[in-house]
Amino acid sequence: MLNRDDQIAHEMFQEIQSPDQPRQKVLDSPHLHRLQRMHFFLFDVLPIIGTVCAVVLLFFHPVSVVDITLFAVMWILTGLGVSVGYHRLFTHRSFKTTSVVRALFGIFGSMAGQGGVISWTAMHRRHHELGDQDGDLHSPNLHGSGLVGKLKGFVHAHFTWMVAHPYPNVVHYAPDLLKDPVIIWVNRHYYTWIVLGLLAPTLIGALVTQTWMGAVTGFLWGGMVRMFVVEQGIFSLNSLCHLIGRRRFVTDDQSTNISWLAPFIFGESWHHNHHAFPGSASFGLAWYRIDPGYWVICMLSLLGQAWDVKVPTREQISRREIRAS
């Protein structure tokens, strides 16, 4: 069973799909767009408002060690949930792991508020299929040339594409996840995980400080600010990592690497490397490049909790670089 939004979309696909026609890959529906606008307001706009409130509150109540700790822990858990879970594990199947680990990564990724795991996977697989071409949901390079076109593209790719967009057919793009009972269970409770991700730091802040203010600042720093920061990091892959940075390989898109961003977004900003080798668990493609997401996978492998970890050989990397030269 899917979550409510995915279930509505799935039913719409079934209603409009004729047996004698090719499978429809996306659905544009006013009803789905209303759900997308609601999701956008709740989990993209409200975190901005919450972050502003947290900053204003600093003039009256300084941030505490508890607040910083709650922010850091929730940022790491939900950021890795998206980077390692949503992206490397579920979307690209770059390694295998146990049902418990899959569930935990799915739950932590859901807490980021960037969509259910099945729809997120479907959208990202479509992005790889049509990178920077018509149909790419969040390309910054399809909005005209010159500075104005790039600015429009940046705003679209980083933020406004989520207001309303074509919904990818999960049956087409994520059939493997639809057969996974663990992921179906995680996906069905998507909104529950978001609430839990906001409630946990609120309760911990209250219990540790024994004050109502501790609950408020725990909610703001461990919930709203954390969600805002994780979002900006992941959104920068759609915008900055398709506009500025360096390219190393020949790819069909305009993806780039931005090395200085890597420590802040779990190694995800080796984005061009990822587009060149989408099935690789390592995005840095070298031990000396900062890639915390891959380090976590290596740690799980050492603990016997991850296996079949996919990484291209030096020869495969060299062949791609030779073609780029």
Side-chain angles (χ1 to χ4, degrees), residues 8 51 72 98 128 204 237 245:
I8 291 172
T51 300
T98 65
H128 275 267
I204 293 172
L237 304 179

Side-chain angles (χ1 to χ4, degrees), residues 42-58:
L42 289 175
F43 307 124
D44 298 302
V45 175
L46 286 185
I48 296 174
I49 297 173
T51 300
V52 171
C53 291
V55 172
V56 171
L57 188 60
L58 290 176

Side-chain angles (χ1 to χ4, degrees), residues 248-271:
R248 182 179 174 189
F249 306 101
V250 171
T251 62
D252 294 331
D253 53 70
Q254 299 181 50
S255 58
T256 63
N257 293 325
I258 304 179
S259 59
W260 60 267
L261 263 178
F264 306 104
I265 52 176
F266 309 96
E268 289 285 317
S269 64
W270 301 109
H271 194 59

Side-chain angles (χ1 to χ4, degrees), residues 148-166:
V148 173
K150 294 301 182 183
L151 286 175
K152 288 181 179 179
F154 173 83
V155 172
H156 169 80
H158 196 82
F159 201 60
T160 57
W161 75 274
M162 294 172 287
V163 176
H165 55 80

Side-chain angles (χ1 to χ4, degrees), residues 60-298:
F60 307 96
H61 183 82
V63 66
S64 69
V65 174
V66 174
D67 298 331
I68 295 173
T69 302
L70 288 172
F71 166 81
V73 170
M74 293 301 296
W75 170 67
I76 291 171
L77 289 178
T78 57
L80 289 174
V82 175
S83 175
V84 178
Y86 270 35
H87 197 184
R88 308 186 202 212
L89 175 59
F90 302 129
T91 301
H92 294 290
R93 296 175 289 187
S94 64
F95 68 101
K96 295 178 182 178
T97 187
T98 65
S99 296
V100 172
V101 174
R102 288 206 315 278
L104 288 174
F105 275 127
I107 290 170
F108 292 144
S110 298
M111 288 179 178
Q114 297 181 19
V117 58
I118 295 177
S119 60
W120 197 100
T121 293
M123 282 186 277
H124 192 72
R125 287 176 178 175
R126 182 169 174 81
H127 166 64
H128 275 267
E129 178 185 62
L130 299 168
D132 291 310
Q133 303 173 46
D134 288 339
D136 186 348
L137 299 174
H138 44 63
S139 172
N141 295 300
L142 302 174
H143 302 270
S145 58
L147 180 60
V148 173
K150 294 301 182 183
L151 286 175
K152 288 181 179 179
F154 173 83
V155 172
H156 169 80
H158 196 82
F159 201 60
T160 57
W161 75 274
M162 294 172 287
V163 176
H165 55 80
Y167 186 93
N169 185 350
V170 297
V171 174
H172 177 78
Y173 286 104
D176 52 322
L177 298 188
L178 293 175
K179 299 174 184 177
D180 187 334
V182 173
I183 299 308
I184 290 293
W185 176 76
V186 170
N187 195 79
R188 183 170 68 242
H189 298 289
Y190 168 62
Y191 293 104
T192 301
W193 309 132
I194 294 178
V195 172
L196 182 60
L198 297 172
L199 187 60
T202 304
L203 291 177
I204 293 172
L207 291 172
V208 172
T209 65
Q210 296 291 298
T211 65
W212 284 106
M213 183 57 72
V216 171
T217 57
F219 170 77
L220 289 176
W221 288 98
M224 293 285 98
V225 178
R226 174 268 306 172
M227 187 177 286
F228 170 77
V229 172
V230 171
E231 287 177 341
Q232 301 317 301
I234 299 302
F235 296 168
S236 69
L237 304 179
N238 304 335
S239 56
L240 293 178
C241 289
H242 280 262
L243 285 173
I244 62 173
R246 296 184 176 182
R247 290 174 57 82
R248 182 179 174 189
F249 306 101
V250 171
T251 62
D252 294 331
D253 53 70
Q254 299 181 50
S255 58
T256 63
N257 293 325
I258 304 179
S259 59
W260 60 267
L261 263 178
F264 306 104
I265 52 176
F266 309 96
E268 289 285 317
S269 64
W270 301 109
H271 194 59
H272 175 61
N273 292 352
H274 167 60
H275 271 265
F277 297 96
S280 173
S282 169
F283 289 0
L285 300 181
W287 66 266
Y288 53 84
R289 296 195 182 100
I290 297 175
D291 190 356
Y294 179 55
W295 298 343
V296 168
I297 297 171
C298 291

